[in-house]
Amino acid sequence: MENNNIISDWLEKNSNPEIDKLVEINLAIANKIHGLLKERGLKPADLARMLGKKPSEISKWLTGMHTFTTKTIAKIGTVLGTDIIHIEAQKEYVYFTVLVKDQEVEEEMVFEESVVFSILNMDKKAS
Amino acid sequence: MNTFAHIKPIGRYDKVSYYSVVVDNDTVSLFEKFIAAHETTNKEKLYHIVKWIAVIGNKYGAQPHLFRPEGETADTSALPPAENRNPSYIENGKKKPNSLRLYCLRANEHVVFLFNGNLKTAQKAQDCPNVQKHFKLANQITKAIDEAFKQKDIHWNETHTDIEFQSDLVIYL
């Protein structure tokens, strides 16, 4: 196949980060649910029964074109007994300069944001 | 009336290689015509579909549940998948349903042919003045490509992750 990629070139030229993010998230959630069903040997119709929905609605969810509400994500997570999405604390790199016998040694440490501010006794706005 | 087509590579990703076809003596492929026809008036609807194509190409592969079956005389599909009244794209900051259809052929999880499409205004493609001709042509091309596979004019590579064909291959519709 030729090296040029008409799809990627067009997306780059017309970049829309908001739609990029929406498509990435919708497909990631759909893929996660699809994987969980497969892992548990369940069919979309089984999930439909568990949630009291029509099987056709579950099929739509699995296409990655559906925009989920947090309520739906919570319901699916509850019946499947696992978290569909994980909200993780943002990590920040903090650099300390340590003097060892008058020689500078740079150390890198990673903290969760809340830890960083409590350790440094800083207000978040001060960052 | 369309009589023949050539295959044109459109884009290769880690998990999917996309192709289109150039019909008769046209200079551009059906997919490029689709882009050109909608990039001004339906840009956000189009962007949503094109981005979806790129993401499944990179991360998920062309899994069957990701496509909408649109077969009449052949195994044609359409994007976006499934009748969707739920929000599926963003226009001026608001989420709206996407009525833009792109007809395609999912040959397997790694190879997809992208054709042309339009805004669908009726429930059935056959009844919609906008998409009817694209739907018919997509089915016609799908049938011809299936035949080319049978005749070994198009064949799979060893791992079934891409197709091989002569660059001057003519597919008769």
Side-chain angles (χ1 to χ4, degrees):
Chain A
M1 188 182 277
E2 295 160 24
N3 284 332
N4 64 324
N5 186 322
I6 292 168
I7 299 162
S8 294
D9 290 350
W10 188 83
L11 286 170
E12 201 178 318
K13 201 173 121 194
N14 297 279
S15 174
N16 186 326
E18 195 181 351
I19 299 180
D20 286 348
K21 194 60 90 182
L22 182 70
V23 172
E24 294 268 5
I25 292 170
N26 286 344
L27 265 168
I29 294 173
N31 188 61
K32 178 76 179 277
I33 298 167
H34 188 256
L36 285 170
L37 293 181
K38 211 171 163 186
E39 206 178 281
R40 289 160 164 72
L42 297 170
K43 293 199 165 109
D46 299 323
L47 181 60
R49 263 190 298 277
M50 291 158 93
L51 291 166
K53 301 272 183 192
K54 289 181 184 168
S56 59
E57 192 165 351
I58 308 300
S59 298
K60 286 175 207 166
W61 290 358
L62 296 178
T63 62
M65 283 285 180
H66 179 82
T67 301
F68 292 88
T69 62
T70 47
K71 196 176 172 184
T72 305
I73 292 169
K75 276 185 184 173
I76 299 167
T78 304
V79 296
L80 293 179
T82 187
D83 287 340
I84 304 297
I85 53 173
H86 297 276
I87 309 293
E88 290 166 2
Q90 194 101 29
K91 290 196 168 52
E92 281 196 5
Y93 286 87
V94 177
Y95 295 90
F96 293 100
T97 301
V98 182
L99 295 177
V100 180
K101 290 181 183 173
D102 295 334
Q103 295 277 316
E104 268 192 19
V105 178
E106 193 176 60
E107 289 195 359
E108 181 187 290
M109 298 178 81
V110 184
F111 293 98
E112 286 187 1
E113 190 179 68
S114 54
V115 178
V116 172
F117 290 107
S118 62
I119 284 178
L120 301 178
N121 196 23
M122 286 165 64
D123 186 287
K124 196 172 179 181
K125 285 176 190 164
S127 64
Chain B
M1 190 180 160
N2 302 299
T3 54
F4 64 92
H6 292 98
I7 297 173
K8 180 173 181 176
I10 294 296
R12 172 179 281 167
Y13 293 90
D14 286 351
K15 301 214 166 167
V16 184
S17 293
Y18 291 102
Y19 295 88
S20 188
V21 293
V22 178
V23 174
D24 294 337
N25 293 314
D26 277 348
T27 51
V28 294
S29 68
L30 291 182
F31 180 67
E32 288 164 284
K33 282 186 169 184
F34 175 73
I35 296 265
H38 299 284
E39 67 181 349
T40 309
T41 49
N42 300 305
K43 191 170 183 176
E44 282 159 322
K45 289 184 176 79
L46 174 67
Y47 191 95
H48 191 99
I49 293 175
V50 177
K51 179 66 188 178
W52 187 93
I53 288 168
V55 176
I56 68 159
N58 268 328
K59 289 187 181 174
Y60 305 111
Q63 300 176 53
H65 67 274
L66 297 173
F67 288 76
R68 176 201 301 260
E70 289 274 357
E72 185 186 46
T73 56
D75 195 18
T76 306
S77 298
L79 299 173
E83 193 59 46
N84 196 351
R85 278 165 292 160
N86 292 302
S88 60
Y89 87 109
I90 296 170
E91 187 177 86
N92 300 325
K94 290 183 180 172
K95 292 166 186 168
K96 292 186 174 180
N98 197 345
S99 54
L100 188 62
R101 294 290 179 272
L102 169 64
Y103 294 97
C104 55
L105 161 62
R106 193 192 77 91
N108 75 356
E109 205 165 312
H110 305 286
V111 173
V112 175
F113 288 86
L114 303 170
F115 305 131
N116 203 341
N118 203 342
L119 289 175
K120 194 178 172 195
T121 56
Q123 200 175 357
K124 285 185 176 178
Q126 294 93 323
D127 301 333
C128 173
N130 287 349
V131 302
Q132 190 188 58
K133 66 176 179 183
H134 302 299
F135 167 79
K136 296 269 180 197
L137 180 59
N139 271 278
Q140 194 185 355
I141 298 168
T142 298
K143 207 172 173 181
I145 290 174
D146 281 344
E147 189 56 33
F149 272 109
K150 277 183 204 158
Q151 299 302 321
K152 310 276 184 206
D153 291 331
I154 304 172
H155 48 91
W156 293 101
N157 66 0
E158 276 184 15
T159 52
H160 278 67
T161 51
D162 207 345
I163 53 171
E164 293 166 346
F165 55 90
Q166 296 288 328
S167 58
D168 58 353
L169 173 67
V170 177
I171 296 169
Y172 293 97
L173 305 178

